Amino acid sequence: MAEPPAAPDLVRELVRDALQSSPPYLLPHPHGITTKLDANELPFSLPPDLSAELARELAAVELNRYPDPDQLELRAEIAAPLGLAPEAIVLGNGSDEIIQLLVCCFARVRPGRARAAVAYPVPTFAVFRGAALAAGCEPVEIALEEDFTLDFERVDRALTEARPNLVFFARPNNPTGTLWPSRQVAELARAHPDVLVVSDEAYSAFAGDGMIAMAAELPNLMIMQTLSKTGLAALRIGYLHAAPALLAEVEKVRLPYNVGALNQRAALWILRRCRSLLAERCAAVVRERDRLAAALSAMDGLRVFDSQANLILFRVGQAGDGRATAAWQAMCRRGVLVRLFDRPGPLAGCMRVTIGSAEENDRFLAALGDALRG
Ligand SMILES: Cc1ncc(COP(=O)(O)O)c(C=O)c1O
């Protein structure tokens, strides 16, 4: 009897080539980190009295029952302040899942093409590429300018040539913090009515310039937002707004219980009880961002990129001189973790710091200052 194939052989045989050859999404977790500024989270947790009340609320959730598959109460709570009906949004397990749902759903191959294409300017959020590859789509990467602004003409030409099914614009962009104006994105949506244009507004709480109000006039515009960056990253709740016909198709690929009952109940309770607290905290982060940007700009040898998100990207020394990696390692030894992007390409020499509390930001500035001197 023939030997059954080993697991690596099954992988070679059954996993799409593009996925096999793509590296895993790995984040470093050095030991001894006390100041964690690497994941674009809000630095503040719920106050203890509210946490205790929430725990009592969650104790009432019947864990033997499936969650509400329609997520009606939570959809209503999220949609109302946006001026939308509950059925005008679809919920995802984080907006990460929404990205996956979109590339799965809108993957029909255009006549004359081998694969459906998914476009996005680069550098940007890694999940656009990962989701496109996982769905068997062709990633189309459109280079940003050297300062990470968008060359409108270049994007326009790329969309004409590649005719992607979807194009993602992270507004503001991660990891650069750049906000590509809604006016330009709307113009691209108008110029390419057969391409679905997605405004990924994960960081809109720190930027404004959201596009939800434009969706009524632009049938190919889709908007994603998330509760993650406003202090609720653990709950994994993202949402999508688009024309009803598009949402109806996305609903067909969404798994019925994609958002757990505890997460639904917690989000509902927090939004009802603490919406203004979350908004105040985002405003505090914006103030800290301005302070941090000024402090970084005053340091020798750094190039600081303008940011409208809860993060700041900066370059240490010159691309390829290794100073960024050395400084990052020195900061880790002092317990401060930021995200390092120091590899060949447009982000060479760059680090991204998430805006933390004032104390965390001070610890970061001190560690960076020492690392640069050392
Ligand atoms: C641009 C962008 N979009 C989407 C996400 C995903 O957010 P979540 O899945 O937490 O809603 C992130 C997370 O960092 C992001 O940077």
Side-chain angles (χ1 to χ4, degrees):
M1 210 167 59
E3 279 284 305
D9 299 328
L10 292 172
V11 168
R12 264 191 299 280
E13 222 169 284
L14 301 176
V15 177
R16 288 193 186 98
D17 289 345
L19 200 59
Q20 282 191 47
S21 58
S22 75
Y25 186 70
L26 288 181
L27 291 179
H29 290 289
H31 289 295
I33 295 302
T34 49
T35 305
K36 187 178 175 307
L37 299 173
D38 66 327
N40 304 341
E41 297 147 331
L42 207 76
F44 315 109
S45 189
L46 275 191
D49 54 330
L50 289 177
S51 285
E53 258 190 78
L54 174 60
R56 285 194 290 280
E57 175 76 14
L58 295 183
V61 173
E62 290 183 299
L63 297 182
N64 56 319
R65 303 286 175 203
Y66 281 108
D68 170 13
D70 296 328
Q71 307 155 338
L72 254 185
E73 270 193 294
L74 181 55
R75 282 201 286 155
E77 190 62 34
I78 291 173
L82 304 170
L84 298 173
E87 50 286 356
I89 62 172
V90 166
L91 296 190
N93 194 267
S95 41
D96 280 345
E97 192 195 19
I98 305 260
I99 296 168
Q100 212 173 36
L101 295 179
L102 290 177
V103 294
C104 276
C105 182
F106 300 105
R108 186 159 199 258
V109 181
R110 293 194 195 268
R113 301 277 165 143
R115 290 189 291 163
V118 173
Y120 43 88
V122 284
T124 191
F125 187 44
V127 171
F128 300 142
R129 179 181 171 81
L133 291 178
C137 298
E138 180 195 350
V140 173
E141 311 205 323
I142 308 166
L144 290 167
E145 297 296 274
E146 179 262 347
D147 62 355
F148 306 123
T149 52
L150 197 70
D151 177 341
F152 180 88
E153 309 292 333
R154 184 187 297 162
V155 179
D156 187 41
R157 273 197 311 275
L159 296 184
T160 304
E161 273 162 35
R163 294 198 58 229
N165 291 25
L166 289 155
V167 55
F168 286 95
F169 294 100
R171 316 181 42 260
N173 188 33
N174 173 20
T176 65
T178 333
L179 180 65
W180 308 317
S182 56
R183 181 182 37 79
Q184 283 194 346
V185 173
E187 210 171 310
L188 288 165
R190 258 179 232 110
H192 300 274
D194 63 339
V195 173
L196 293 174
V197 173
V198 185
S199 177
D200 174 352
E201 302 181 355
Y203 300 95
S204 60
F206 313 100
D209 199 32
M211 298 185 74
I212 284 183
M214 298 181 187
E217 297 138 48
L218 291 169
N220 58 330
L221 178 66
M222 311 182 93
I223 297 104
M224 298 165 33
Q225 295 184 352
T226 177
L227 301 187
S228 294
K229 309 299 174 183
T230 64
L232 304 178
L235 300 184
R236 309 301 302 123
I237 290 173
Y239 49 98
L240 172 75
H241 170 59
L246 299 176
L247 288 189
E249 297 307 305
V250 176
E251 271 294 348
K252 293 180 191 169
V253 286
R254 181 181 71 81
L255 296 175
Y257 306 119
N258 64 331
V259 181
L262 291 168
N263 295 11
Q264 288 191 44
R265 183 72 72 93
L268 192 59
W269 189 88
I270 294 170
L271 290 178
R272 283 181 179 158
R273 282 291 301 270
C274 322
R275 214 182 259 276
S276 56
L277 176 68
L278 302 184
E280 280 159 31
R281 288 169 156 192
C282 291
V285 163
V286 170
R287 288 194 294 277
E288 273 298 301
R289 176 182 75 204
D290 296 344
R291 180 177 80 89
L292 209 51
L296 288 171
S297 302
M299 287 183 171
D300 270 346
L302 296 190
R303 173 158 183 203
V304 182
F305 295 93
D306 184 42
S307 170
Q308 300 296 308
N310 66 340
L311 55 94
I312 297 177
L313 185 81
F314 57 96
R315 178 169 288 124
V316 179
Q318 302 299 319
D321 67 6
R323 284 188 68 203
T325 298
W328 182 83
Q329 286 164 344
M331 289 161 69
C332 286
R333 287 195 290 274
R334 288 200 33 171
V336 175
L337 181 62
V338 300
R339 184 83 188 269
L340 180 70
F341 291 95
D342 191 15
R343 50 180 176 265
L347 294 173
C350 285
M351 278 189 229
R352 183 196 71 195
V353 59
T354 300
I355 313 301
S357 64
E359 300 72 37
E360 288 173 325
N361 297 336
D362 286 341
R363 285 201 292 275
F364 155 73
L365 286 172
L368 178 64
D370 283 355
L372 295 178
R373 278 188 294 275

